[in-house]
Amino acid sequence: MPLKESEAIILRTYPLREADLLVTFFSRVEGKVHAVARSAKKSKRRFSGALEPLTYVRAYYEDRERRELARLDSCDVLNSPLAREVTYSRAVALAHVAELLDELLPDREANDAAFRLSLSVLEELKEPPFWMPITYFELWMTRLMGYLPDLSECIVCGRELNGRPAFFHALTDGLLCPDDKRLASSEISAESRTLAAQMLRAPAENFASSGWTKSRAADLRKFLLQTLQRHIEKKLVTAGMLEKMG
Ligand SMILES: [Zn+2]
């Protein structure tokens, strides 16, 4: 089979047998691909530093007849997250982006918007604080996967929420007005809803990261993670790590 070439973002590696690694990467050309990297643990020449999660690479790989896993031949590093200091909070932020891509993207389905989003958010994940790019990425991935409801109206009665308090609930898809909110609903502030609307209209680079504290838009992130986790029907490992992050 012919060797394929694509820009890609490494999502995850997993030791297979002996020196082989199972690699999941998000290719620009055909979306999420699972591949075996033969002798990757030994071959510094073919993979040197290229298989760290969220490394932006040019990947060379081939499909194998009647095999589910492709074969990853080699990778050239285009941009590595390790070019900058990896503090604990930066590692958590990067792991969160990798986990969302890995859990949300279907196999072998190109998604250029998600690819461009990932590259732009990685650019913003260089210096702390990381809450702006994390929020931006969660919001846009929710939108791109088709899970984001209209944030301007109550999902039950359809009334406009603008200028009124709005609520969300772990078992409900959209936002709720005060009359329709359920027991144990959380409130999402008007400020966070306005921010979400702005983020859906402008690139990440338009939003300043500095000065963002963890509390800013925390209600929006809680709503987005609840929405995503309900759709994938599992708890995100990095969601708990983010909660503990300062
Ligand atoms: Zn309502």
Side-chain angles (χ1 to χ4, degrees), residues 1-4 60-64 69-73:
M1 299 226 168
L3 206 59
K4 296 178 180 177
Y60 299 89
Y61 62 102
E62 64 184 347
D63 287 316
R64 300 178 300 171
L69 295 172
R71 187 184 71 84
L72 184 59
D73 184 78

Side-chain angles (χ1 to χ4, degrees), residues 153-159 161 164 175-181:
E153 59 179 42
C154 170
I155 195 152
V156 177
C157 68
R159 273 185 294 173
L161 289 169
R164 310 173 68 206
L175 298 184
L176 305 159
C177 73
D179 296 336
D180 291 313
K181 75 170 176 161

Side-chain angles (χ1 to χ4, degrees), residues 151 188-197 215-220:
L151 300 180
I188 179 166
S189 67
E191 191 192 358
S192 291
R193 284 179 280 150
T194 303
L195 175 70
S215 60
R216 182 160 180 209
D219 50 358
L220 173 61

